[in-house]
Amino acid sequence: FMLAFVAAIARGRYGIATFLSAIVPMILVLETEWLWSPVSGLLPLEEDNIVGVFPGHVQGPTLVLCAHYDTATQFGDHITWARWMPIVGLAVALALALSLSGLWQRRWGRELPRMLRLSVAGFVLVPFGAMAVFFSAGPLVRTPSPGALDNGGSVAVLLRLAERLTLRPADAPTTVKLVFLAAEEERALGSWHYANMLREKQSVGVINLEIVGASDQLAYVLEEGFALRRYHPSDSLVDLVRKTAQKMWGQPLAARRLPGAMYTDGRSFLAQGIAAVTLMSVYEGGPRGLHSARDSRDRLLVPQLERTVELLAAIVASMDRDPLILRTR
């Protein structure tokens, strides 16, 4: 679209340029804010969520413990992207202003100087080209990311927890679902699809794991969401997690904001009205080097993974003792 915009500006086709510069932000909002796929859906790729169920009473609560199992190989990371995103917004605004200025000048029988048109159009193209390199060129030329922090450690926690859950009594009241989510790296589409399936169910809570094992301290995410929509975690789940941590470790979990342009699968559940909270390792500024060969197993702190398993097992036990502890509606 932006290459077509530059070509239209170079030829003085301001009407076409205006249309293109207006439709690009609309597509970006549809794709990233509302998770529709008018462009990316033209090349569909199917991935699967994997769900393991430890059934409880039919009328009992359901606790979903989830982590995404996919990773990506790209140039840059969430800190790099956060620096470029405002420039993308500025570029879109300049593209629209240039197109409308050209139409206005032509109405009065004048033309914008060609050098001005090409200079502004070139600037507009730069951030879109940079983002294309960040997201698309990595898999072609870089060593694949092992995905240890993002998000192998969290997946390992759920697999270890599965061993614990097999020891629960057969009449345990809480249904526990271990969900390994696909497509988190593609706008969190896997969790969005799964959350849509949960939306009508009652007494459901979701604990999402992200970058667990990156440090020796665990926290819950204070706020997450989209560019135009922000959500806070469920009060009842935050209370349950904090009290369980207080009982086990002598102090409650701290609250932390997501660094940079990072998002998690937690936003999919919160946006659809499902009680949820995301747990992640505390790391000032966020761990760097994700989506690259630097995201290797030696960066994982295994004791922290085991501590997280213990915490989740204790949360399940608390819900089994008091099924009404999860107030989600």
Side-chain angles (χ1 to χ4, degrees):
F1 282 99
M2 298 315 295
L3 287 174
F5 164 80
V6 172
I9 284 293
R11 291 174 171 79
R13 304 290 182 84
Y14 300 118
I16 296 175
T18 300
F19 170 77
L20 291 171
S21 58
I23 200 172
V24 165
M26 293 173 59
I27 291 174
L28 288 174
V29 169
L30 289 176
E31 293 257 357
T32 63
E33 188 72 20
W34 299 105
L35 304 188
W36 296 0
S37 303
V39 175
S40 59
L42 297 176
L43 295 173
L45 176 65
E46 185 173 303
E47 298 183 35
D48 296 311
N49 294 325
I50 302 170
V51 183
V53 181
F54 295 83
H57 292 172
V58 175
Q59 300 300 323
T62 297
L63 179 63
V64 176
L65 305 171
C66 62
H68 73 88
Y69 67 84
D70 64 319
T71 191
T73 302
Q74 298 165 339
F75 281 102
D77 56 22
H78 55 282
I79 302 297
T80 310
W81 308 331
R83 294 169 182 159
W84 278 91
M85 284 181 178
I87 304 177
V88 171
L90 175 61
V92 170
L94 282 176
L96 188 57
L98 179 64
S99 304
L100 292 175
S101 296
L103 287 174
W104 179 259
Q105 291 290 330
R106 181 163 292 173
R107 179 180 180 182
W108 298 100
R110 298 189 292 266
E111 283 288 338
L112 291 175
R114 180 177 176 82
M115 184 58 67
L116 174 64
R117 300 198 320 257
L118 294 180
S119 298
V120 175
F123 173 81
V124 167
L125 196 59
V126 168
F128 285 94
M131 296 302 284
V133 170
F134 288 158
F135 290 109
S136 302
L140 301 177
V141 299
R142 302 196 80 184
T143 302
S145 170
L149 295 180
D150 187 22
N151 196 32
S154 301
V155 170
V157 166
L158 294 187
L159 292 174
R160 289 282 286 174
L161 180 64
E163 299 175 354
R164 298 285 193 91
L165 295 179
T166 60
L167 304 177
R168 293 169 72 214
D171 60 347
T174 306
T175 294
V176 180
K177 295 185 177 183
L178 304 184
V179 183
F180 302 88
L181 295 164
E184 189 268 354
E185 304 293 355
E186 179 50 48
R187 295 171 290 147
L189 291 180
S191 56
W192 186 263
H193 173 75
Y194 187 72
N196 189 57
M197 297 170 58
L198 288 180
R199 192 165 49 181
E200 301 303 322
K201 296 184 180 296
Q202 300 293 317
S203 298
V204 176
V206 178
I207 298 178
N208 176 52
L209 304 182
E210 183 71 47
I211 315 183
V212 173
S215 71
D216 59 2
Q217 185 179 358
L218 197 65
Y220 73 91
V221 174
L222 184 61
E223 179 188 77
E224 55 185 314
F226 304 80
L228 304 178
R229 298 174 291 162
R230 307 299 297 174
Y231 304 96
H232 294 282
S234 159
D235 290 338
S236 60
L237 275 174
V238 169
D239 187 58
L240 174 59
V241 169
R242 284 172 58 85
K243 285 183 176 179
T244 305
Q246 174 77 51
K247 184 176 181 180
M248 293 180 61
W249 303 328
Q251 60 182 10
L253 292 190
R256 290 291 186 273
R257 294 189 179 276
L258 289 172
M262 183 179 290
Y263 63 80
T264 84
D265 284 307
R267 69 178 189 171
S268 296
F269 300 100
L270 293 171
Q272 300 197 49
I274 299 167
V277 64
T278 294
L279 305 183
M280 67 182 299
S281 291
V282 175
Y283 205 112
E284 291 302 323
R288 302 302 303 269
L290 304 183
H291 299 179
S292 74
R294 291 171 56 194
D295 189 7
S296 54
R297 291 177 60 184
D298 59 287
R299 297 179 67 183
L300 282 171
L301 299 181
V302 175
Q304 181 58 36
L305 300 183
E306 295 291 353
R307 280 165 54 89
T308 306
V309 173
E310 296 286 346
L311 176 67
L312 296 179
I315 289 172
V316 172
S318 294
M319 290 186 60
D320 282 340
R321 288 192 298 270
D322 181 8
L324 299 180
I325 198 171
L326 185 63
R327 304 178 302 278
T328 62
R329 290 290 190 271

